[in-house]
Amino acid sequence: MALIVQKYGGTSVADAERIMNVARRVAARREQGDALVVVVSAMGHTTDELIELARQITRQPEARELDVLLSTGETVSSTLMTMALHELGQPAISLSGAQAGIGTESRYGRARILSVDPQRILKELGEGKVVIVAGFQGISEEMDITTLGRGGSDTTAVALAVALKAERCEIYTDVDGVYTTDPRIEPKARKLREISYEEMLELASYGARVMHNRAVELGAVYNMPILVASSFRDVPGTLIHGGPEMVEQRNKVSGIAYDPDVAKVTIRGVPDRPGIAATLFEPLAEAGINVDTIVQNAGAEKIADLTFTVTRGDLEKAIELVRPIAQQVSAGELVSDSNLAKVSIVGAGMQSAPGFAARMFRALYEEGINIEMISTSEIRITCIINESQVADAVRALHKAFELEQAE
Ligand code: ADP
Ligand code: ASP
Ligand code: MG
């Protein structure tokens, strides 16, 4: 008998019929003898709707209250899923994140999991029940409800799989697995049979929302195999793992990610002397603003232009924090642009073969796409471009790197 943690995403539990459908799959799996912990997301677009509802009351909802509100989405689906299993004659119990032992920091809206105490889950499993856990939520040391960031139910699932020493974590979603790029943008995208943690982490961190990046990170640290598969169709999915090097990906790009949520801030005429960058970026870090790409072009006369990117939601705050410092250090004007996007190619093969960047830039150039900024890791190249061209860029790159071709 194996212990398996499964997770079903929002589309998979969007209405009563789909919840019954998932419950039937869970019950059938249970009958094969596996012990199951099932993490569920909120139904359909519930999380978006709850955020919108809060916005109708106040422009800036207090973070603590917003987290309590958002956590209710997953509470609803966990109880309905449990009732569906009861209806099928399957013993089951729902647990909140807190009851499931998910301890987090108190950073509302994007709390990281600090500890998992699986005692209660183990007790219920010991009584033969399927345990249904509300995803995306945890509890802080101050006993306040927190949420893990959008898409965070994946992270709940992997964290539980690790704590319970499960055989594997299975992420069931509305696509058949991880594709070479988002199949909604490029219908010729190809499903990958397997992908390494490192590559999946880069794809997820740079926009491929099929997996939450922190879930992949946890999987990598604890070597927990993660299967991404369809909750609707019985077809093989994609295994994310850290096994031996995968032949399929040698010398190739594995996938293309895009993220249409990019804004940039440029500070012109920044004095080129030690300490200035630290002075500018420290307040952003303290405010929890994630600065992504940073480019400094050294100009003449010991002054430089400094450009950095943030998410659109953080732009206003970033400008507010940086403007007074720019003035203090006698920098020039500050300009921003919020209509940008990131497109990234990812592949472990890049480390050993030259020419990936040149091919990427040529493909974008031939599509008439201007590159605003570039950033890289050992296995990724990212270009910041205009948002309106992001779909064209993804398709052009998918073609240029021959991703649609048969394995
Ligand atoms: P869930 O609600 O099940 O968590 P998400 O909407 O978070 O599902 O993630 C699944 C979606 O991720 C797919 O519908 C697809 O549009 C998108 N996606 C983006 N990049 C990829 C990719 N490389 N492979 C598969 N799906 C992707
Ligand atoms: N319901 C949450 C969200 O929409 C968490 C999740 O689905 O993983 O972001
Ligand atoms: Mg998701």
Side-chain angles (χ1 to χ4, degrees), residues 94-113:
S94 69
L95 296 179
S96 67
Q99 289 172 311
I102 310 272
T104 75
E105 28 168 59
S106 51
R107 250 202 322 161
Y108 301 109
R110 47 181 152 186
R112 293 180 79 97
I113 296 176

Side-chain angles (χ1 to χ4, degrees), residues 7-12 41 151 154 172-175 177-184 203 207-211 256 258:
K7 177 255 170 178
Y8 292 89
T11 317
S12 310
S41 288
D154 297 341
Y172 290 102
T173 182
D174 57 5
V175 277
V178 179
Y179 281 70
T180 47
T181 194
D182 187 345
R184 288 178 213 283
L203 287 172
R209 78 164 191 281
V210 61
M211 277 299 297
I256 296 166
Y258 68 93

Side-chain angles (χ1 to χ4, degrees), residues 7 9-10 41-42 44 47-48 74 136 149-154:
K7 177 255 170 178
S41 288
T47 310
D48 290 327
E74 271 68 12
F136 176 58
R150 300 304 307 268
S153 296
D154 297 341

Side-chain angles (χ1 to χ4, degrees), residues 8 51 56 62 136 208 249 289 296 316 332 352 367 372:
Y8 292 89
I51 291 173
Q56 286 173 23
E62 195 182 295
F136 176 58
Q249 286 147 17
I289 295 178
Q296 179 176 323
E316 209 177 311
S352 48
E367 199 62 29
E372 300 243 353

Side-chain angles (χ1 to χ4, degrees), residues 262-278:
V262 182
K264 76 167 180 184
V265 177
T266 300
I267 311 162
R268 296 205 204 287
V270 179
D272 189 8
R273 60 168 193 259
I276 294 275

